[in-house]
Amino acid sequence: MLVKGIKSKGFNNATGTLKKISDYCAYNHLECIDFRSKIEEFRRVEITGKKPFVKEFKPPTDECFSQDGAKTIYQYALDHPDDLLYAIAFLITTGLRVGELCALQVSDIDLKKRTVIVNKMERKSDRKIIPSAKDYSDRIVFLNDDAMTIIKLALQGKSSGYVFINPYSKDGDHVHTENIDQRIRRLQDRDITFDNPVIRSAHDCRRTYASIQYKHGVDLVTIQKQLGHSDPETTWGYIKDIADADERLEKLAKGSVLGDSKPAERN
């Protein structure tokens, strides 16, 4: 793995799996190489000093907070009718968890009250819909004008069943998390060109929603209730990077070389 090139995270995942195999065999009295001691010996002898892993690029966390990028994706969804694109735009404009969105049914939507009832979600491991949201209680999510536009488009021709239908399913099954993640990657690779990867996954859509609301003056508690977080600290973790960036920019702007004066214009 090291010769072919692997990131440290991938290496740890692989060795972790080998250790579990070793533990399972030991517990069940099965013959097996003692992977644990072999791995520890390898780390101690072979991996010394600077670890020879492939350098992992970690984009700044505030890259997914671009309102311009969110606007571009939203407009693209309006121009290209497609349930997966509608789903991505709805995530950006509501802050829903992707599992909650996958499980949404027409009966959960109340256009008159501009609300969505969240009381179930897709379990990613087996794609099954479980009858409770992540916090094990019903949650009301309010829809702003952007979200209302998208949900009305998504509901066209649907009187029951799931709101967002998987285009790759022949029996009208709901969209799945991996469908949405793949469509987001396609947006950036082929359909839409960005200078920076503003949205990288379905979960980034949720973070983007939180940060945009905060930048427009929505208080932390309101955002917390919309996202369904039990702790405001969790919500703050979604937006602290962009808040910190804005604060630093504002403070650094005061340190202009020219101060309050303006450069003299050339004749």
Side-chain angles (χ1 to χ4, degrees):
M1 287 189 290
L2 290 175
V3 170
K4 290 180 177 289
I6 188 172
K7 296 176 183 177
S8 59
K9 182 178 180 181
F11 184 83
N12 290 335
N13 288 342
T15 55
T17 301
L18 292 175
K19 288 178 181 179
K20 287 183 178 180
I21 293 173
S22 180
D23 292 344
Y24 175 85
C25 291
Y27 182 80
N28 290 279
H29 306 289
L30 300 173
E31 285 191 24
C32 178
I33 297 172
D34 183 3
F35 287 119
R36 277 192 177 278
S37 61
K38 295 290 184 184
I39 291 169
E40 296 310 317
E41 181 183 355
F42 180 79
R43 284 186 176 278
R44 186 175 64 256
V45 178
E46 298 294 334
I47 303 181
T48 58
K50 189 175 181 181
K51 294 182 180 180
F53 296 114
V54 174
K55 187 175 180 182
E56 186 171 0
F57 171 70
K58 293 184 178 180
T61 53
D62 61 349
E63 281 191 355
C64 65
F65 296 135
S66 166
Q67 184 169 351
D68 288 338
K71 182 179 179 181
T72 301
I73 292 174
Y74 182 87
Q75 187 59 54
Y76 189 85
L78 294 180
D79 296 338
H80 299 79
D82 174 272
D83 264 16
L84 281 177
L85 291 175
Y86 289 157
I88 295 168
F90 201 61
L91 288 174
I92 292 174
T93 56
T94 61
L96 287 174
R97 297 180 178 91
V98 63
E100 295 170 345
L101 175 132
C102 292
L104 275 185
Q105 294 188 317
V106 175
S107 56
D108 298 325
I109 313 296
D110 190 328
L111 295 178
K112 291 183 178 179
K113 294 182 179 179
R114 299 169 66 102
T115 59
V116 171
I117 297 295
V118 178
N119 53 19
K120 52 190 172 298
M121 66 187 302
E122 179 192 57
R123 188 165 55 196
K124 188 177 180 180
S125 59
D126 56 10
R127 294 183 170 184
K128 289 185 178 179
I129 302 298
I130 55 177
S132 64
K134 189 171 183 179
D135 55 359
Y136 302 102
S137 63
D138 292 0
R139 179 169 98 258
I140 297 178
V141 174
F142 293 92
L143 306 178
N144 59 20
D145 290 343
D146 294 334
M148 284 292 290
T149 298
I150 290 296
I151 199 64
K152 286 179 181 177
L153 291 171
L155 288 175
Q156 286 183 356
K158 300 169 187 172
S159 57
S160 62
Y162 293 107
V163 175
F164 299 101
I165 304 301
N166 183 358
Y168 308 110
S169 171
K170 295 180 180 180
D171 55 359
D173 192 17
H174 59 84
V175 295
H176 304 297
T177 300
E178 58 265 34
N179 300 144
I180 297 174
D181 282 341
Q182 289 169 4
R183 193 67 180 91
I184 288 173
R185 288 193 289 271
R186 225 183 99 195
L187 277 174
Q188 297 181 118
D189 293 341
R190 286 183 277 179
D191 298 336
I192 300 178
T193 302
F194 294 113
D195 293 331
N196 293 308
V198 286
I199 305 288
R200 299 181 294 274
S201 69
H203 189 66
D204 276 336
C205 295
R206 182 167 161 84
R207 292 168 58 87
T208 298
Y209 170 81
S211 65
I212 289 175
Q213 299 305 307
Y214 185 80
K215 289 178 71 173
H216 282 77
V218 180
D219 63 274
L220 189 64
V221 174
T222 300
I223 300 173
Q224 175 197 346
K225 290 180 179 178
Q226 186 81 348
L227 296 181
H229 287 153
S230 57
D231 186 352
E233 283 297 318
T234 305
T235 308
W236 180 242
Y238 278 40
I239 60 183
K240 64 181 179 181
D241 294 305
I242 191 64
D244 176 64
D246 285 348
E247 183 179 352
R248 286 168 60 192
L249 279 171
E250 183 179 351
K251 289 181 177 179
L252 290 170
K254 299 175 182 178
S256 170
V257 173
L258 299 172
D260 294 331
S261 61
K262 295 182 179 180
E265 294 183 5
R266 293 178 180 271
N267 294 328

